[in-house]
Amino acid sequence: MREPYLAIGKRLRQAREGLGLSQQEVGNLIGLSDVGYGAFERGDRQISIEHLLRLSVILGQSAAWFLGLDGQLTEREDHLLTTFRSITSPVFQEQALEVVKAVADADRHIWEEC
């Protein structure tokens, strides 16, 4: 039964690291020690709905994303989305989108030539 908590913990860590936050910083924001919060990331502690919702706001991800109910992204898609969500500047977000679109267009063009 620990398996779902391991998956949630992996995403908690990914989101936290994507924002450059420590376990202690996140723990403080939700009223836990770094050890208490770290137990969530390791899957050693069941996360409450209250903590999950608070972490969703703090880490900029939906509760559905932490639960793996966001459309079952691949690990690479998940990484891309997490990285994009860590960009706080709307200008940089727009630039990132333009880069991704250009790469997708180039990829599509190469495959059309084959």
Side-chain angles (χ1 to χ4, degrees):
M1 182 79 172
R2 187 173 171 228
E3 181 93 15
Y5 298 103
L6 289 171
I8 292 168
K10 179 181 176 185
R11 288 186 174 211
L12 285 170
R13 180 178 180 180
Q14 185 179 7
R16 176 183 59 78
E17 288 179 345
L19 295 174
L21 297 172
S22 69
Q23 287 184 344
Q24 184 173 2
E25 289 171 316
V26 176
N28 288 340
L29 291 169
I30 62 171
L32 294 175
S33 67
D34 59 334
V35 174
Y37 172 75
F40 287 152
E41 286 192 4
R42 291 187 306 277
D44 293 338
R45 180 177 179 181
Q46 293 182 4
I47 190 166
S48 68
I49 292 173
E50 177 185 350
H51 280 125
L52 182 62
L53 293 175
R54 290 175 73 190
L55 287 165
S56 293
V57 172
I58 292 165
L59 299 175
Q61 300 289 346
S62 69
W65 183 80
F66 287 114
L67 296 171
L69 304 174
D70 61 342
Q72 305 301 318
L73 299 176
T74 66
E75 190 169 332
R76 289 182 127 178
E77 291 168 334
D78 195 39
H79 180 68
L80 181 64
L81 182 57
T82 300
T83 303
F84 178 81
R85 287 180 174 166
S86 72
I87 301 170
T88 57
S89 165
V91 172
F92 290 152
Q93 284 181 343
E94 190 59 38
Q95 289 175 342
L97 283 174
E98 292 302 318
V99 168
V100 171
K101 287 177 188 175
V103 170
D105 287 345
D107 183 63
R108 201 169 25 256
H109 180 70
I110 289 170
W111 285 105
E112 288 173 356
E113 290 180 352
C114 292

mmCIF file of all heavy atoms in Angstrom, residues 57-100:
data_model
loop_
_atom_site.group_PDB
_atom_site.id
_atom_site.type_symbol
_atom_site.label_atom_id
_atom_site.label_comp_id
_atom_site.label_asym_id
_atom_site.label_seq_id
_atom_site.Cartn_x
_atom_site.Cartn_y
_atom_site.Cartn_z
ATOM 1 N N VAL A 57 -0.441 24.564 -3.706
ATOM 2 C CA VAL A 57 -0.306 26.015 -3.847
ATOM 3 C C VAL A 57 1.166 26.424 -3.753
ATOM 4 O O VAL A 57 1.671 27.166 -4.600
ATOM 5 C CB VAL A 57 -1.147 26.750 -2.767
ATOM 6 C CG1 VAL A 57 -0.865 28.243 -2.776
ATOM 7 C CG2 VAL A 57 -2.626 26.479 -2.971
ATOM 8 N N ILE A 58 1.860 25.922 -2.757
ATOM 9 C CA ILE A 58 3.261 26.291 -2.519
ATOM 10 C C ILE A 58 4.156 25.868 -3.685
ATOM 11 O O ILE A 58 5.016 26.623 -4.132
ATOM 12 C CB ILE A 58 3.767 25.665 -1.204
ATOM 13 C CG1 ILE A 58 3.058 26.310 -0.009
ATOM 14 C CG2 ILE A 58 5.285 25.781 -1.073
ATOM 15 C CD1 ILE A 58 3.204 25.542 1.288
ATOM 16 N N LEU A 59 3.941 24.657 -4.193
ATOM 17 C CA LEU A 59 4.821 24.103 -5.222
ATOM 18 C C LEU A 59 4.320 24.335 -6.647
ATOM 19 O O LEU A 59 4.971 23.935 -7.613
ATOM 20 C CB LEU A 59 5.037 22.607 -4.960
ATOM 21 C CG LEU A 59 5.706 22.280 -3.612
ATOM 22 C CD1 LEU A 59 5.762 20.770 -3.406
ATOM 23 C CD2 LEU A 59 7.088 22.900 -3.517
ATOM 24 N N GLY A 60 3.160 24.968 -6.785
ATOM 25 C CA GLY A 60 2.673 25.343 -8.110
ATOM 26 C C GLY A 60 2.212 24.191 -8.983
ATOM 27 O O GLY A 60 2.321 24.261 -10.208
ATOM 28 N N GLN A 61 1.731 23.140 -8.370
ATOM 29 C CA GLN A 61 1.221 21.986 -9.106
ATOM 30 C C GLN A 61 -0.180 21.663 -8.596
ATOM 31 O O GLN A 61 -0.508 21.946 -7.450
ATOM 32 C CB GLN A 61 2.121 20.763 -8.892
ATOM 33 C CG GLN A 61 3.538 20.939 -9.331
ATOM 34 C CD GLN A 61 3.703 20.993 -10.829
ATOM 35 O OE1 GLN A 61 2.799 20.651 -11.581
ATOM 36 N NE2 GLN A 61 4.855 21.431 -11.292
ATOM 37 N N SER A 62 -0.986 21.052 -9.428
ATOM 38 C CA SER A 62 -2.327 20.665 -8.987
ATOM 39 C C SER A 62 -2.251 19.416 -8.109
ATOM 40 O O SER A 62 -1.311 18.618 -8.219
ATOM 41 C CB SER A 62 -3.220 20.382 -10.198
ATOM 42 O OG SER A 62 -2.800 19.196 -10.854
ATOM 43 N N ALA A 63 -3.249 19.259 -7.258
ATOM 44 C CA ALA A 63 -3.337 18.042 -6.450
ATOM 45 C C ALA A 63 -3.428 16.829 -7.369
ATOM 46 O O ALA A 63 -2.848 15.776 -7.083
ATOM 47 C CB ALA A 63 -4.530 18.112 -5.505
ATOM 48 N N ALA A 64 -4.127 16.974 -8.497
ATOM 49 C CA ALA A 64 -4.243 15.874 -9.463
ATOM 50 C C ALA A 64 -2.868 15.466 -9.982
ATOM 51 O O ALA A 64 -2.599 14.279 -10.167
ATOM 52 C CB ALA A 64 -5.154 16.277 -10.623
ATOM 53 N N TRP A 65 -1.996 16.428 -10.190
ATOM 54 C CA TRP A 65 -0.647 16.121 -10.666
ATOM 55 C C TRP A 65 0.100 15.284 -9.640
ATOM 56 O O TRP A 65 0.731 14.292 -9.986
ATOM 57 C CB TRP A 65 0.117 17.408 -10.965
ATOM 58 C CG TRP A 65 1.486 17.165 -11.516
ATOM 59 C CD1 TRP A 65 1.816 16.857 -12.802
ATOM 60 C CD2 TRP A 65 2.718 17.184 -10.794
ATOM 61 N NE1 TRP A 65 3.172 16.690 -12.928
ATOM 62 C CE2 TRP A 65 3.758 16.891 -11.703
ATOM 63 C CE3 TRP A 65 3.052 17.434 -9.466
ATOM 64 C CZ2 TRP A 65 5.090 16.838 -11.335
ATOM 65 C CZ3 TRP A 65 4.386 17.381 -9.100
ATOM 66 C CH2 TRP A 65 5.383 17.085 -10.023
ATOM 67 N N PHE A 66 0.024 15.683 -8.362
ATOM 68 C CA PHE A 66 0.704 14.909 -7.323
ATOM 69 C C PHE A 66 0.137 13.496 -7.214
ATOM 70 O O PHE A 66 0.863 12.559 -6.922
ATOM 71 C CB PHE A 66 0.612 15.614 -5.962
ATOM 72 C CG PHE A 66 1.478 16.831 -5.868
ATOM 73 C CD1 PHE A 66 0.920 18.088 -5.740
ATOM 74 C CD2 PHE A 66 2.854 16.734 -5.913
ATOM 75 C CE1 PHE A 66 1.721 19.215 -5.656
ATOM 76 C CE2 PHE A 66 3.671 17.851 -5.843
ATOM 77 C CZ PHE A 66 3.091 19.102 -5.708
ATOM 78 N N LEU A 67 -1.151 13.354 -7.471
ATOM 79 C CA LEU A 67 -1.801 12.048 -7.375
ATOM 80 C C LEU A 67 -1.644 11.221 -8.652
ATOM 81 O O LEU A 67 -2.054 10.068 -8.700
ATOM 82 C CB LEU A 67 -3.286 12.225 -7.054
ATOM 83 C CG LEU A 67 -3.587 12.863 -5.695
ATOM 84 C CD1 LEU A 67 -5.078 13.188 -5.588
ATOM 85 C CD2 LEU A 67 -3.144 11.957 -4.560
ATOM 86 N N GLY A 68 -1.063 11.804 -9.687
ATOM 87 C CA GLY A 68 -0.878 11.085 -10.941
ATOM 88 C C GLY A 68 -2.153 10.983 -11.766
ATOM 89 O O GLY A 68 -2.295 10.078 -12.589
ATOM 90 N N LEU A 69 -3.066 11.919 -11.569
ATOM 91 C CA LEU A 69 -4.354 11.901 -12.274
ATOM 92 C C LEU A 69 -4.445 13.009 -13.307
ATOM 93 O O LEU A 69 -5.524 13.486 -13.621
ATOM 94 C CB LEU A 69 -5.501 12.058 -11.253
ATOM 95 C CG LEU A 69 -5.540 11.035 -10.132
ATOM 96 C CD1 LEU A 69 -6.615 11.392 -9.121
ATOM 97 C CD2 LEU A 69 -5.772 9.645 -10.702
ATOM 98 N N ASP A 70 -3.336 13.396 -13.839
ATOM 99 C CA ASP A 70 -3.280 14.548 -14.743
ATOM 100 C C ASP A 70 -3.149 14.162 -16.213
ATOM 101 O O ASP A 70 -2.649 14.915 -17.006
ATOM 102 C CB ASP A 70 -2.126 15.451 -14.337
ATOM 103 C CG ASP A 70 -0.790 14.732 -14.415
ATOM 104 O OD1 ASP A 70 -0.785 13.497 -14.438
ATOM 105 O OD2 ASP A 70 0.234 15.408 -14.461
ATOM 106 N N GLY A 71 -3.562 12.994 -16.554
ATOM 107 C CA GLY A 71 -3.469 12.563 -17.941
ATOM 108 C C GLY A 71 -2.334 11.597 -18.183
ATOM 109 O O GLY A 71 -2.004 11.305 -19.318
ATOM 110 N N GLN A 72 -1.731 11.111 -17.114
ATOM 111 C CA GLN A 72 -0.688 10.082 -17.204
ATOM 112 C C GLN A 72 0.428 10.491 -18.166
ATOM 113 O O GLN A 72 0.686 9.841 -19.173
ATOM 114 C CB GLN A 72 -1.297 8.738 -17.614
ATOM 115 C CG GLN A 72 -2.426 8.267 -16.719
ATOM 116 C CD GLN A 72 -1.988 8.106 -15.266
ATOM 117 O OE1 GLN A 72 -0.915 7.597 -15.012
ATOM 118 N NE2 GLN A 72 -2.795 8.549 -14.337
ATOM 119 N N LEU A 73 1.097 11.576 -17.852
ATOM 120 C CA LEU A 73 2.212 12.036 -18.661
ATOM 121 C C LEU A 73 3.391 11.074 -18.548
ATOM 122 O O LEU A 73 3.584 10.439 -17.519
ATOM 123 C CB LEU A 73 2.665 13.421 -18.179
ATOM 124 C CG LEU A 73 1.638 14.540 -18.246
ATOM 125 C CD1 LEU A 73 2.227 15.806 -17.636
ATOM 126 C CD2 LEU A 73 1.187 14.795 -19.661
ATOM 127 N N THR A 74 4.170 11.014 -19.607
ATOM 128 C CA THR A 74 5.413 10.252 -19.535
ATOM 129 C C THR A 74 6.376 11.010 -18.619
ATOM 130 O O THR A 74 6.160 12.189 -18.309
ATOM 131 C CB THR A 74 6.068 10.096 -20.918
ATOM 132 O OG1 THR A 74 6.495 11.388 -21.376
ATOM 133 C CG2 THR A 74 5.121 9.465 -21.924
ATOM 134 N N GLU A 75 7.450 10.360 -18.214
ATOM 135 C CA GLU A 75 8.417 11.019 -17.326
ATOM 136 C C GLU A 75 9.025 12.251 -17.987
ATOM 137 O O GLU A 75 9.194 13.289 -17.355
ATOM 138 C CB GLU A 75 9.518 10.037 -16.933
ATOM 139 C CG GLU A 75 10.409 10.582 -15.844
ATOM 140 C CD GLU A 75 11.329 9.536 -15.250
ATOM 141 O OE1 GLU A 75 10.976 8.349 -15.252
ATOM 142 O OE2 GLU A 75 12.409 9.928 -14.785
ATOM 143 N N ARG A 76 9.290 12.181 -19.274
ATOM 144 C CA ARG A 76 9.860 13.336 -19.996
ATOM 145 C C ARG A 76 8.843 14.474 -20.098
ATOM 146 O O ARG A 76 9.191 15.639 -19.925
ATOM 147 C CB ARG A 76 10.314 12.929 -21.387
ATOM 148 C CG ARG A 76 11.546 12.069 -21.353
ATOM 149 C CD ARG A 76 11.990 11.743 -22.731
ATOM 150 N NE ARG A 76 13.388 12.128 -22.803
ATOM 151 C CZ ARG A 76 14.119 11.954 -23.862
ATOM 152 N NH1 ARG A 76 13.603 11.457 -24.953
ATOM 153 N NH2 ARG A 76 15.388 12.304 -23.855
ATOM 154 N N GLU A 77 7.583 14.132 -20.402
ATOM 155 C CA GLU A 77 6.540 15.161 -20.462
ATOM 156 C C GLU A 77 6.358 15.803 -19.096
ATOM 157 O O GLU A 77 6.222 17.028 -18.978
ATOM 158 C CB GLU A 77 5.218 14.551 -20.919
ATOM 159 C CG GLU A 77 5.205 14.096 -22.352
ATOM 160 C CD GLU A 77 3.989 13.232 -22.676
ATOM 161 O OE1 GLU A 77 3.433 12.581 -21.768
ATOM 162 O OE2 GLU A 77 3.601 13.215 -23.858
ATOM 163 N N ASP A 78 6.368 14.976 -18.083
ATOM 164 C CA ASP A 78 6.222 15.440 -16.714
ATOM 165 C C ASP A 78 7.358 16.398 -16.353
ATOM 166 O O ASP A 78 7.142 17.460 -15.770
ATOM 167 C CB ASP A 78 6.210 14.225 -15.784
ATOM 168 C CG ASP A 78 5.708 14.536 -14.409
ATOM 169 O OD1 ASP A 78 4.757 15.324 -14.287
ATOM 170 O OD2 ASP A 78 6.255 13.963 -13.450
ATOM 171 N N HIS A 79 8.584 16.029 -16.742
ATOM 172 C CA HIS A 79 9.744 16.867 -16.459
ATOM 173 C C HIS A 79 9.636 18.207 -17.195
ATOM 174 O O HIS A 79 9.918 19.269 -16.624
ATOM 175 C CB HIS A 79 11.026 16.137 -16.842
ATOM 176 C CG HIS A 79 12.267 16.922 -16.587
ATOM 177 N ND1 HIS A 79 12.710 17.232 -15.317
ATOM 178 C CD2 HIS A 79 13.154 17.482 -17.436
ATOM 179 C CE1 HIS A 79 13.814 17.952 -15.398
ATOM 180 N NE2 HIS A 79 14.102 18.105 -16.676
ATOM 181 N N LEU A 80 9.218 18.159 -18.446
ATOM 182 C CA LEU A 80 9.055 19.376 -19.232
ATOM 183 C C LEU A 80 8.022 20.298 -18.592
ATOM 184 O O LEU A 80 8.244 21.503 -18.445
ATOM 185 C CB LEU A 80 8.651 19.027 -20.669
ATOM 186 C CG LEU A 80 8.460 20.189 -21.634
ATOM 187 C CD1 LEU A 80 9.774 20.937 -21.845
ATOM 188 C CD2 LEU A 80 7.931 19.682 -22.966
ATOM 189 N N LEU A 81 6.899 19.735 -18.188
ATOM 190 C CA LEU A 81 5.844 20.531 -17.566
ATOM 191 C C LEU A 81 6.295 21.112 -16.228
ATOM 192 O O LEU A 81 6.065 22.286 -15.943
ATOM 193 C CB LEU A 81 4.589 19.672 -17.371
ATOM 194 C CG LEU A 81 3.370 20.366 -16.773
ATOM 195 C CD1 LEU A 81 2.953 21.568 -17.614
ATOM 196 C CD2 LEU A 81 2.228 19.385 -16.643
ATOM 197 N N THR A 82 6.950 20.313 -15.414
ATOM 198 C CA THR A 82 7.438 20.792 -14.119
ATOM 199 C C THR A 82 8.452 21.918 -14.309
ATOM 200 O O THR A 82 8.412 22.926 -13.607
ATOM 201 C CB THR A 82 8.080 19.647 -13.320
ATOM 202 O OG1 THR A 82 7.102 18.641 -13.117
ATOM 203 C CG2 THR A 82 8.593 20.123 -11.972
ATOM 204 N N THR A 83 9.338 21.749 -15.266
ATOM 205 C CA THR A 83 10.337 22.780 -15.543
ATOM 206 C C THR A 83 9.660 24.056 -16.021
ATOM 207 O O THR A 83 9.977 25.155 -15.560
ATOM 208 C CB THR A 83 11.351 22.286 -16.585
ATOM 209 O OG1 THR A 83 11.962 21.084 -16.104
ATOM 210 C CG2 THR A 83 12.414 23.325 -16.869
ATOM 211 N N PHE A 84 8.688 23.925 -16.918
ATOM 212 C CA PHE A 84 7.966 25.106 -17.407
ATOM 213 C C PHE A 84 7.255 25.811 -16.254
ATOM 214 O O PHE A 84 7.296 27.034 -16.143
ATOM 215 C CB PHE A 84 6.955 24.716 -18.494
ATOM 216 C CG PHE A 84 6.163 25.895 -18.981
ATOM 217 C CD1 PHE A 84 6.696 26.761 -19.920
ATOM 218 C CD2 PHE A 84 4.892 26.147 -18.494
ATOM 219 C CE1 PHE A 84 5.981 27.869 -20.358
ATOM 220 C CE2 PHE A 84 4.173 27.242 -18.926
ATOM 221 C CZ PHE A 84 4.711 28.106 -19.868
ATOM 222 N N ARG A 85 6.607 25.052 -15.398
ATOM 223 C CA ARG A 85 5.879 25.649 -14.274
ATOM 224 C C ARG A 85 6.799 26.336 -13.278
ATOM 225 O O ARG A 85 6.351 27.177 -12.507
ATOM 226 C CB ARG A 85 5.039 24.587 -13.570
ATOM 227 C CG ARG A 85 3.823 24.187 -14.379
ATOM 228 C CD ARG A 85 3.015 23.140 -13.659
ATOM 229 N NE ARG A 85 1.777 22.861 -14.373
ATOM 230 C CZ ARG A 85 1.007 21.822 -14.125
ATOM 231 N NH1 ARG A 85 1.328 20.962 -13.168
ATOM 232 N NH2 ARG A 85 -0.095 21.633 -14.804
ATOM 233 N N SER A 86 8.077 25.992 -13.277
ATOM 234 C CA SER A 86 9.021 26.639 -12.364
ATOM 235 C C SER A 86 9.466 28.006 -12.878
ATOM 236 O O SER A 86 10.076 28.770 -12.138
ATOM 237 C CB SER A 86 10.229 25.745 -12.117
ATOM 238 O OG SER A 86 11.056 25.684 -13.256
ATOM 239 N N ILE A 87 9.138 28.330 -14.117
ATOM 240 C CA ILE A 87 9.477 29.643 -14.682
ATOM 241 C C ILE A 87 8.438 30.638 -14.175
ATOM 242 O O ILE A 87 7.248 30.497 -14.439
ATOM 243 C CB ILE A 87 9.470 29.606 -16.226
ATOM 244 C CG1 ILE A 87 10.469 28.590 -16.754
ATOM 245 C CG2 ILE A 87 9.758 30.988 -16.799
ATOM 246 C CD1 ILE A 87 10.344 28.321 -18.250
ATOM 247 N N THR A 88 8.898 31.635 -13.439
ATOM 248 C CA THR A 88 7.956 32.566 -12.821
ATOM 249 C C THR A 88 7.636 33.773 -13.692
ATOM 250 O O THR A 88 6.587 34.377 -13.533
ATOM 251 C CB THR A 88 8.493 33.059 -11.459
ATOM 252 O OG1 THR A 88 9.769 33.658 -11.655
ATOM 253 C CG2 THR A 88 8.604 31.900 -10.480
ATOM 254 N N SER A 89 8.509 34.101 -14.605
ATOM 255 C CA SER A 89 8.300 35.267 -15.459
ATOM 256 C C SER A 89 7.400 34.914 -16.644
ATOM 257 O O SER A 89 7.726 34.018 -17.427
ATOM 258 C CB SER A 89 9.641 35.767 -15.993
ATOM 259 O OG SER A 89 9.445 36.669 -17.069
ATOM 260 N N PRO A 90 6.283 35.642 -16.816
ATOM 261 C CA PRO A 90 5.429 35.398 -17.990
ATOM 262 C C PRO A 90 6.176 35.604 -19.306
ATOM 263 O O PRO A 90 5.917 34.915 -20.286
ATOM 264 C CB PRO A 90 4.295 36.418 -17.834
ATOM 265 C CG PRO A 90 4.260 36.739 -16.374
ATOM 266 C CD PRO A 90 5.688 36.628 -15.914
ATOM 267 N N VAL A 91 7.118 36.533 -19.316
ATOM 268 C CA VAL A 91 7.898 36.783 -20.537
ATOM 269 C C VAL A 91 8.746 35.557 -20.865
ATOM 270 O O VAL A 91 8.789 35.096 -22.006
ATOM 271 C CB VAL A 91 8.793 38.037 -20.363
ATOM 272 C CG1 VAL A 91 9.753 38.202 -21.535
ATOM 273 C CG2 VAL A 91 7.933 39.281 -20.196
ATOM 274 N N PHE A 92 9.416 35.014 -19.858
ATOM 275 C CA PHE A 92 10.241 33.824 -20.079
ATOM 276 C C PHE A 92 9.379 32.606 -20.402
ATOM 277 O O PHE A 92 9.786 31.744 -21.171
ATOM 278 C CB PHE A 92 11.142 33.548 -18.889
ATOM 279 C CG PHE A 92 12.251 34.555 -18.707
ATOM 280 C CD1 PHE A 92 12.770 34.797 -17.450
ATOM 281 C CD2 PHE A 92 12.781 35.257 -19.783
ATOM 282 C CE1 PHE A 92 13.796 35.717 -17.270
ATOM 283 C CE2 PHE A 92 13.796 36.179 -19.615
ATOM 284 C CZ PHE A 92 14.313 36.411 -18.357
ATOM 285 N N GLN A 93 8.189 32.519 -19.814
ATOM 286 C CA GLN A 93 7.281 31.420 -20.153
ATOM 287 C C GLN A 93 6.922 31.481 -21.633
ATOM 288 O O GLN A 93 6.925 30.464 -22.322
ATOM 289 C CB GLN A 93 6.008 31.485 -19.308
ATOM 290 C CG GLN A 93 6.176 31.031 -17.898
ATOM 291 C CD GLN A 93 4.882 31.101 -17.109
ATOM 292 O OE1 GLN A 93 3.925 31.765 -17.514
ATOM 293 N NE2 GLN A 93 4.840 30.425 -15.981
ATOM 294 N N GLU A 94 6.630 32.684 -22.118
ATOM 295 C CA GLU A 94 6.280 32.841 -23.528
ATOM 296 C C GLU A 94 7.462 32.479 -24.425
ATOM 297 O O GLU A 94 7.297 31.811 -25.448
ATOM 298 C CB GLU A 94 5.821 34.276 -23.799
ATOM 299 C CG GLU A 94 5.209 34.469 -25.167
ATOM 300 C CD GLU A 94 3.986 33.593 -25.417
ATOM 301 O OE1 GLU A 94 3.186 33.382 -24.491
ATOM 302 O OE2 GLU A 94 3.839 33.108 -26.570
ATOM 303 N N GLN A 95 8.659 32.881 -24.028
ATOM 304 C CA GLN A 95 9.850 32.543 -24.811
ATOM 305 C C GLN A 95 10.077 31.035 -24.828
ATOM 306 O O GLN A 95 10.433 30.473 -25.864
ATOM 307 C CB GLN A 95 11.076 33.260 -24.251
ATOM 308 C CG GLN A 95 11.050 34.754 -24.509
ATOM 309 C CD GLN A 95 12.202 35.489 -23.849
ATOM 310 O OE1 GLN A 95 12.844 34.972 -22.940
ATOM 311 N NE2 GLN A 95 12.462 36.706 -24.303
ATOM 312 N N ALA A 96 9.864 30.388 -23.691
ATOM 313 C CA ALA A 96 10.016 28.927 -23.630
ATOM 314 C C ALA A 96 9.022 28.253 -24.560
ATOM 315 O O ALA A 96 9.370 27.297 -25.264
ATOM 316 C CB ALA A 96 9.837 28.434 -22.192
ATOM 317 N N LEU A 97 7.787 28.733 -24.582
ATOM 318 C CA LEU A 97 6.779 28.166 -25.482
ATOM 319 C C LEU A 97 7.191 28.326 -26.942
ATOM 320 O O LEU A 97 7.012 27.401 -27.741
ATOM 321 C CB LEU A 97 5.424 28.838 -25.253
ATOM 322 C CG LEU A 97 4.659 28.393 -24.034
ATOM 323 C CD1 LEU A 97 3.403 29.248 -23.861
ATOM 324 C CD2 LEU A 97 4.276 26.932 -24.130
ATOM 325 N N GLU A 98 7.734 29.474 -27.284
ATOM 326 C CA GLU A 98 8.167 29.712 -28.663
ATOM 327 C C GLU A 98 9.293 28.761 -29.057
ATOM 328 O O GLU A 98 9.309 28.252 -30.174
ATOM 329 C CB GLU A 98 8.590 31.175 -28.848
ATOM 330 C CG GLU A 98 7.441 32.158 -28.748
ATOM 331 C CD GLU A 98 6.330 31.884 -29.753
ATOM 332 O OE1 GLU A 98 6.630 31.573 -30.930
ATOM 333 O OE2 GLU A 98 5.147 31.971 -29.364
ATOM 334 N N VAL A 99 10.223 28.504 -28.145
ATOM 335 C CA VAL A 99 11.318 27.575 -28.423
ATOM 336 C C VAL A 99 10.765 26.167 -28.649
ATOM 337 O O VAL A 99 11.138 25.489 -29.611
ATOM 338 C CB VAL A 99 12.359 27.581 -27.274
ATOM 339 C CG1 VAL A 99 13.330 26.420 -27.418
ATOM 340 C CG2 VAL A 99 13.090 28.907 -27.229
ATOM 341 N N VAL A 100 9.864 25.726 -27.775
ATOM 342 C CA VAL A 100 9.290 24.387 -27.901
ATOM 343 C C VAL A 100 8.508 24.270 -29.211
ATOM 344 O O VAL A 100 8.616 23.263 -29.920
ATOM 345 C CB VAL A 100 8.407 24.045 -26.677
ATOM 346 C CG1 VAL A 100 7.634 22.752 -26.908
ATOM 347 C CG2 VAL A 100 9.256 23.944 -25.425
#
